[in-house]
Amino acid sequence: YGTPEKIETDAIVKTLEHRIKKLEETFTTEPIPLIDDGSSTRKVAVSVNGQPPIEMVLDSGASIILLTKRAAKDLKIEIGSDAPSIMMT
């Protein structure tokens, strides 16, 4: 099947480095300024679909993102009439 009997570590590392480099080329990075309003809560400006940004709380440990209906409307995010509703407290 053309499988080599011995695989050199250098060849594996070189292949992985090439794959990582190609993957990194797909990422865009830029600094995201924090909004400091004097409170202990940090916020960021969020823009979706080219709409003017709104302020959102930054929670690096959050497992979900929560938008109010008003924020979704301001960001031109359409919520389908069949979208599920979840009560959160």
Side-chain angles (χ1 to χ4, degrees):
Y1 296 105
T3 304
E5 291 181 28
K6 184 177 180 184
I7 300 175
E8 298 293 327
T9 305
D10 290 343
I12 294 170
V13 170
K14 186 175 180 180
T15 300
L16 291 174
E17 285 175 343
H18 177 73
R19 292 175 72 183
I20 290 170
K21 183 178 178 183
K22 286 294 196 185
L23 182 61
E24 286 176 340
E25 290 172 0
T26 66
F27 295 116
T28 302
T29 61
E30 61 183 79
I32 300 173
L34 297 176
I35 298 169
D36 184 357
D37 61 3
S39 70
S40 61
T41 302
R42 294 295 180 245
K43 299 176 184 175
V44 293
V46 177
S47 178
V48 177
N49 298 332
Q51 298 303 310
I54 63 168
E55 288 185 7
M56 291 186 68
V57 173
L58 173 66
D59 182 351
S60 61
S63 57
I64 62 170
I65 296 172
L66 178 68
L67 287 176
T68 63
K69 285 183 180 181
R70 177 70 193 182
K73 183 178 178 182
D74 289 347
L75 293 170
K76 304 284 191 255
I77 297 172
E78 292 188 28
I79 301 171
S81 59
D82 62 340
S85 179
I86 301 170
M87 176 66 82
M88 300 183 79
T89 57

